[in-house]
Amino acid sequence: MINISFPDGAVRQYESGVTALDVAKSISEGLARKVLAANVNGEVWDATRPITGDAALKLVTWDDTDGKSTFWHSSAHLMAEAVESKFPGAKFWVGPAIDKGFYYDIDLGDNKLTEEDLLGLEKKMNELANQKNSFVRTEKSKADAVAYFSEKGDEYKLDLLQNLEDGNITFYTQGGFTDLCRGPHIPNTGFIKAIKLMSIAGAYWKGDEKNKQLTRIYGVTFPNQKELDEYLAMLEEAKKRDHRKLGKELGIYTMNDDIGAGLVLWMPNGTVIIEELEKLAKETEEDAGYKRVVTPHIAKENLYLTSGHLPYYADSMFPPMEMDGEKYYLKAMNCPHHHKIFDAELKSYRDLPYRLAEYGTCYRYEQSGELFGLMRVRCLHMNDAHIYCSKEQFAQEFKAVNDMYLKYFKIFGIEKYVMRLSLHDPEKLGQKYVNEPELWLETEALVRNVLIETGVPFVEVKGEGAFYGPKIDVQIWSAIGREFTLATNQVDFAQSRSFKLSFTNKDNEPEIPLIIHRAPLGTHERFIGFLLEHYAGKFPVWLAPQQVRILPISDKFMDYAHEVKAKLRKHRVRVEIDERQEKIGKKIREAELDRVPYMLVIGEKEANEGKLSLRRQGKGDLGQQTVDEFVNLIVDEIVNRKSGE
């Protein structure tokens, strides 16, 4: 008998060779119908793979990230089977699960795939899924695997086999399709109920443009049609909310080849949003005891050698400029500059925590193919800060940073979020990570404990920490369910040592501070891109580039319109008058399209009575108010940064 431990701490005994699916059936048939895979001792397995020793077991369903990944990888194999049936002799490179769905890179020989072919492949996939064929795992020797793919003349799989060790090679078969694969897979194809092949693209083998171009097919599947329909509806809504489309329509930003790829030109409307976000951040940080600093856009090479950024991130930095025998780099990060400010004056424990904040401009050389609107750019304006504290102060400071995130989430109506705790990989110490194994474990435990104590939702991810310490990647979801990485919150135990930073503790001895790197609003670029899509361009009043548009019915009421405008301007309201000789209906429609929150219609009655006919974007006519009543209404919305809902 073997002992199976469950996440709730329960332990049950089973015969050796039991599968996770057997375990699920022993609990309930309903549970067994939902199990897609299993986490066995921290590794994701097939739910049908025998367990032969004591194990910690977590049953994986569609609700788990690993469940979706397994489901979509299995769907890639199902698609490959459909492709092979339509194009005999097709050769397959890799078919991974991605954030939403899967793809497979395929050599179709002389065949060309069309959009019409995708419909035929969908039909075939549904037919194969209905056969409920099991995914069968087979272990192979390297010699047998090489012989199998040599007979098929498959240079792609033979290339993959070169880097695999004998004794760790597995094949998976479902129906008539067999592939080299480490797995895991769902129990059978019958779990796949809803299928949509999304698009066709070209992809060079191994990503090298010198190699043959393969056909990449993207697809997505779900365990029921309802979820697929909802996903496709979300994609349609996302197209309407695309920040690149809205950014152009609303005059937020532009880009120009003469300026350079990935370098954003902020137009007047976009600059208003930037300044409002910066105002919010400055107020919040002042209340939290931060000191503001300003640092240069360039620095000598030695600064980034000391910080460790050049050895790890040289490929992401712009090439150096040489002057007077010295190499200078465009600033890719603010932290080394802030460390020098901390070190400029002697510090004691009474000065800590010492919090430095800056809206610093940084430059990063993103690859051309990775540039994407405001989401991936080469010039970033970062809501950056660094907190220098003792180990005893760390928990409270880290919690305060998390509380700041939560405050911002409330202001911007972000309801779904998760903190992704990114840890180091012990096998890559000295390569990708600073070689301080004990400090890694100690610092990761500090962060984990704060997250647990504060009840913030979080997940742990191995191998994605910063080179100098663990970090939290803040994942948020927009109003339509699209996921974004907002910012990072990093803990640094290495750079204090690199820069020889210290403070005098209560025993009058030098002590090394811990450093917290944080940027709750990320960069202007990424965050405004998110907000454009989150709000669909309909910003709350406090953030809207134009908050009010006055719409006179005719020129006869222009003097009154200017009186209203002047009164609103005295209260710092962003207001304009539509002075065109157009019908009022057209003026209203265009103000709606421009996403102006408030429209003030002025005619003879309003001018005579000193009132306004008030309209709210998306809500229509709100009736009449006096000018003073409206001023009080809108100033309250602006000052308190109300959502407008």
Side-chain angles (χ1 to χ4, degrees):
M1 301 292 283
I2 59 173
N3 294 315
I4 301 295
S5 305
F6 295 90
D8 64 359
V11 179
R12 294 188 183 188
Q13 288 193 326
Y14 293 89
E15 294 285 346
S16 177
V18 70
T19 69
L21 202 55
D22 294 332
V23 172
K25 287 177 181 176
S26 75
I27 299 170
S28 83
E29 287 290 338
L31 174 62
R33 287 194 292 270
K34 296 178 181 178
V35 171
L36 300 176
N39 188 305
V40 180
N41 295 327
E43 184 180 349
V44 185
W45 280 21
D46 305 317
T48 54
R49 184 173 168 184
I51 304 170
T52 56
D54 292 350
L57 174 67
K58 179 182 184 298
L59 299 172
V60 176
T61 69
W62 174 253
D63 293 331
D64 301 300
T65 300
D66 287 334
K68 289 181 174 66
S69 178
T70 303
F71 190 93
W72 284 329
H73 181 50
S74 299
S75 299
H77 279 235
L78 182 69
M79 182 179 73
E81 184 180 6
V83 169
E84 193 172 60
S85 71
K86 183 173 178 60
F87 301 101
K91 299 174 184 177
F92 300 89
W93 172 228
V94 290
I98 53 178
D99 284 345
K100 281 290 185 183
F102 57 90
Y103 71 78
Y104 222 126
D105 287 345
I106 308 165
D107 183 348
L108 293 171
D110 296 329
N111 295 303
K112 299 292 182 184
L113 203 62
T114 67
E115 295 292 335
E116 191 175 324
D117 288 326
L118 292 186
L119 296 175
L121 289 173
E122 280 181 22
K123 183 177 179 181
K124 185 64 177 178
M125 287 177 70
N126 278 301
E127 177 188 317
L128 294 169
N130 289 335
Q131 293 176 9
K132 299 183 180 180
N133 293 317
S134 298
F135 284 87
V136 180
R137 181 178 187 270
T138 309
E139 296 181 0
K140 294 276 188 182
S141 69
K142 189 165 186 176
D144 286 347
V146 168
Y148 178 86
F149 286 111
S150 294
E151 185 178 343
K152 296 184 71 171
D154 192 332
E155 64 271 31
Y156 303 106
K157 299 302 182 186
L158 290 170
D159 181 83
L160 285 172
L161 282 166
Q162 289 181 19
N163 299 316
L164 299 181
E165 294 181 10
D166 204 355
N168 292 296
I169 296 170
T170 54
F171 282 26
Y172 276 84
T173 299
Q174 94 276 356
F177 180 73
T178 298
D179 202 6
L180 172 70
C181 180
R182 67 166 61 94
H185 285 283
I186 60 179
N188 65 68
T189 61
F191 284 79
I192 303 169
K193 303 289 189 184
I195 300 166
K196 179 65 178 176
L197 298 185
M198 304 297 295
S199 62
I200 307 166
Y204 291 106
W205 182 35
K206 297 183 179 180
D208 188 341
E209 61 184 16
K210 295 176 183 177
N211 289 336
K212 183 173 182 177
Q213 189 174 70
L214 306 179
T215 299
R216 176 172 292 181
I217 306 175
Y218 286 96
V220 68
T221 53
F222 289 89
N224 59 69
Q225 189 63 40
K226 180 175 179 286
E227 288 195 57
L228 175 59
D229 291 341
E230 289 173 350
Y231 174 70
L232 296 176
M234 185 273 287
L235 288 183
E236 284 303 310
E237 181 63 24
K239 287 179 184 177
K240 299 174 190 173
R241 293 173 179 247
D242 189 317
H243 78 274
R244 295 166 298 175
K245 173 177 175 288
L246 291 173
K248 182 177 181 180
E249 290 175 0
L250 301 178
I252 304 296
Y253 75 98
T254 187
M255 293 184 176
N256 188 284
D257 287 343
D258 290 338
I259 302 296
L263 303 174
V264 180
L265 293 170
W266 291 101
M267 299 172 75
N269 284 348
T271 304
V272 167
I273 299 172
I274 284 175
E275 290 177 346
E276 287 294 339
L277 291 175
E278 192 163 345
K279 181 182 175 183
L280 169 64
K282 286 179 177 178
E283 289 176 6
T284 303
E285 289 162 358
E286 183 178 352
D287 291 344
Y290 286 78
K291 304 174 190 297
R292 301 207 67 78
V293 296
V294 177
T295 59
H297 291 225
I298 62 172
K300 289 182 179 180
E301 176 184 48
N302 190 59
L303 182 73
Y304 301 118
L305 287 172
T306 301
S307 71
H309 286 100
L310 260 182
Y312 288 100
Y313 292 127
D315 291 344
S316 298
M317 297 175 72
F318 277 84
M321 302 169 279
E322 294 202 27
M323 295 175 287
D324 302 325
E326 297 271 13
K327 287 184 179 179
Y328 287 80
Y329 281 85
L330 284 172
K331 179 173 65 172
M333 61 293 297
N334 298 307
C335 37
H337 300 250
H338 290 190
H339 302 337
K340 288 296 186 182
I341 291 175
F342 177 89
D343 198 38
E345 299 171 336
L346 294 175
K347 301 288 187 302
S348 81
Y349 69 92
R350 294 185 180 88
D351 299 309
L352 270 58
Y354 194 76
R355 310 177 187 98
L356 298 179
E358 176 181 17
Y359 249 109
T361 304
C362 297
Y363 302 86
R364 296 182 184 171
Y365 191 78
E366 299 283 359
Q367 296 299 313
S368 299
E370 295 177 343
L371 297 174
F372 179 71
L374 295 175
M375 298 301 179
R376 296 294 290 269
V377 295
R378 289 175 173 165
C379 177
L380 316 98
H381 299 81
M382 190 175 297
N383 169 223
D384 211 358
H386 296 88
I387 302 168
Y388 304 82
C389 64
S390 66
K391 192 179 296 184
E392 293 74 24
Q393 294 168 329
F394 172 80
Q396 182 57 38
E397 289 301 305
F398 203 79
K399 179 181 181 300
V401 171
N402 281 342
D403 289 344
M404 190 179 290
Y405 279 103
L406 298 178
K407 172 187 174 179
Y408 288 145
F409 293 164
K410 185 175 181 180
I411 288 173
F412 295 106
I414 298 167
E415 297 179 352
K416 183 180 178 183
Y417 60 89
V418 68
M419 308 291 190
R420 188 171 65 193
L421 174 54
S422 299
L423 310 173
H424 77 299
D425 183 343
E427 296 180 3
K428 294 183 179 178
L429 286 172
Q431 304 167 38
K432 187 178 177 182
Y433 303 105
V434 173
N435 194 9
E436 296 277 2
E438 291 182 6
L439 279 173
W440 274 104
L441 294 175
E442 180 183 7
T443 313
E444 288 169 353
L446 284 171
V447 176
R448 184 183 295 110
N449 289 339
V450 172
L451 292 172
I452 292 170
E453 289 170 10
T454 55
V456 174
F458 76 98
V459 295
E460 296 191 14
V461 184
K462 177 182 174 183
E464 292 190 13
F467 73 89
Y468 47 64
K471 67 174 181 174
I472 288 175
D473 290 310
V474 183
Q475 303 300 117
I476 59 176
W477 279 260
S478 72
I480 60 167
R482 289 192 66 193
E483 183 178 1
F484 293 79
T485 300
L486 171 62
T488 60
N489 187 11
Q490 303 171 359
V491 186
D492 181 353
F493 57 75
Q495 289 196 35
S496 289
R497 290 166 171 75
S498 301
F499 282 92
K500 298 181 172 58
L501 305 182
S502 66
F503 65 95
T504 304
N505 64 22
K506 292 180 180 179
D507 298 323
N508 205 32
E509 295 176 344
E511 188 173 321
I512 297 171
L514 276 174
I515 304 172
I516 300 173
H517 304 240
R518 46 107 293 189
L521 295 180
T523 66
H524 288 324
E525 289 74 17
R526 178 177 287 271
F527 193 51
I528 291 175
F530 164 77
L531 290 178
L532 277 164
E533 300 193 7
H534 183 56
Y535 292 128
K538 300 173 185 177
F539 292 102
V541 175
W542 70 273
L543 200 52
Q546 186 179 147
Q547 295 165 325
V548 177
R549 187 174 295 178
I550 301 173
L551 310 176
I553 290 176
S554 76
D555 288 349
K556 290 188 295 184
F557 313 111
M558 202 61 71
D559 289 344
Y560 180 56
H562 279 281
E563 287 177 24
V564 174
K565 177 181 177 181
K567 193 158 190 176
L568 288 168
R569 282 281 177 91
K570 281 184 180 179
H571 290 85
R572 302 295 181 189
V573 176
R574 295 186 288 274
V575 54
E576 298 295 341
I577 301 173
D578 187 340
E579 299 191 14
R580 298 173 303 157
Q581 303 262 337
E582 296 286 356
K583 291 183 178 180
I584 193 64
K586 182 174 182 180
K587 290 183 178 183
I588 291 172
R589 283 194 300 274
E590 292 187 3
E592 288 276 354
L593 289 173
D594 290 342
R595 278 81 162 178
V596 179
Y598 282 111
M599 291 149 271
L600 307 181
V601 178
I602 291 176
E604 185 173 4
K605 188 173 186 294
E606 290 80 12
N608 290 338
E609 297 178 5
K611 292 186 176 181
L612 308 164
S613 286
L614 184 61
R615 296 185 66 87
R616 187 69 163 89
Q617 208 281 332
K619 295 182 179 178
D621 187 5
L622 299 183
Q624 288 195 333
Q625 289 188 357
T626 66
V627 178
D628 287 341
E629 285 173 338
F630 178 66
V631 167
N632 291 336
L633 170 72
I634 194 167
V635 168
D636 178 60
E637 282 197 52
I638 293 168
V639 170
N640 293 299
R641 296 189 173 97
K642 293 185 176 180
S643 66
E645 295 300 322

